[in-house]
């Protein structure tokens, strides 16, 4: 398996509107996209830092994964996403090493990426996402 870089860090927030000013005004980053991902019941806001992005996640449904996460743990880092070259192959190799997958097959994430999550029980507590950009 080949990981090329940290594609993004996912951060759960209660409100994009209330969170974006911190990233823009204090950290001096620019939000370049806001996108709803109905599949994951979230609205996302993206910032770029070098090759890496920050993905703020606001829940659109209290029963969705981010809604439940915030209820349990509050706002904070939700997941780390690694860019991989061959997503299907990376999933196969990971599963073969006994890691529990949340997604057995890739699905569509924000920004047209193909994504899959690994279960935090198998990754030392970090919800881990693999992303493959098929357009590049
Ligand atoms: Zn993500």
């Amino acid at each position: 398996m080949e990981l090329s870089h940290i594609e993004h860090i996912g951060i759960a927030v209660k409100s994009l509107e209330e969170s974006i000013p911190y990233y823009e005004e204090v950290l001096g980053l620019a939000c370049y996209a806001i996108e709803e991902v109905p599949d994951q019941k979230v609205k996302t806001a993206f910032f770029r830092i070098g090759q890496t992005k920050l993905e703020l996640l606001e829940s659109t449904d209290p029963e969705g994964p981010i809604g439940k996460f915030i209820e349990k743990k509050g706002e904070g880092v939700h997941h780390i996403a690694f860019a991989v070259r061959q997503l299907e192959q990376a999933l196969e190799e990971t599963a073969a090493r006994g890691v529990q997958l949340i997604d057995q097959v890739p699905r569509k994430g924000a920004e047209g990426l193909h994504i899959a999550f690994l279960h935090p029980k198998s990754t030392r507590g970090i919800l881990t996402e693999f992303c493959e950009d098929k357009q590049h």
Side-chain angles (χ1 to χ4, degrees), residues 73-112:
K73 300 188 173 171
E75 293 182 305
V77 172
H78 177 259
H79 65 273
I80 294 181
F82 297 106
V84 300
R85 303 248 187 253
Q86 303 275 351
L87 180 52
E88 282 89 352
Q89 192 192 323
L91 287 177
E92 264 174 42
E93 287 177 24
T94 311
R97 291 179 176 258
V99 171
Q100 190 186 333
L101 308 181
I102 292 175
D103 300 300
Q104 311 297 324
V105 291
R107 56 188 160 108
K108 275 237 156 85
E111 300 198 303

Side-chain angles (χ1 to χ4, degrees), residues 1 3 5 13-15 21 61 66 70 72 77 86 94 131:
M1 150 168 26
L3 304 182
H5 60 283
V13 299
K14 287 182 185 159
S15 155
D61 178 344
I66 295 299
I70 286 182
K72 245 166 76 182
V77 172
Q86 303 275 351
T94 311
C131 304

Side-chain angles (χ1 to χ4, degrees), residues 38-64:
D39 188 41
Q40 292 175 62
K41 300 187 169 73
V42 290
K43 216 161 78 178
T44 61
F46 284 96
F47 303 83
R48 200 174 272 123
I49 307 172
Q51 255 191 310
T52 302
K53 299 158 193 162
L54 297 180
E55 175 186 44
L56 301 188
L57 301 149
E58 175 193 304
S59 183
T60 55
D61 178 344
E63 292 305 307

Side-chain angles (χ1 to χ4, degrees), residues 5 11 13 27 34 49 56 61 67 79 114 116-117 122 125 134:
H5 60 283
I11 300 168
V13 299
L27 298 185
I34 290 183
I49 307 172
L56 301 188
D61 178 344
H79 65 273
H114 293 238
F117 283 94
S122 298
K134 299 238 188 203

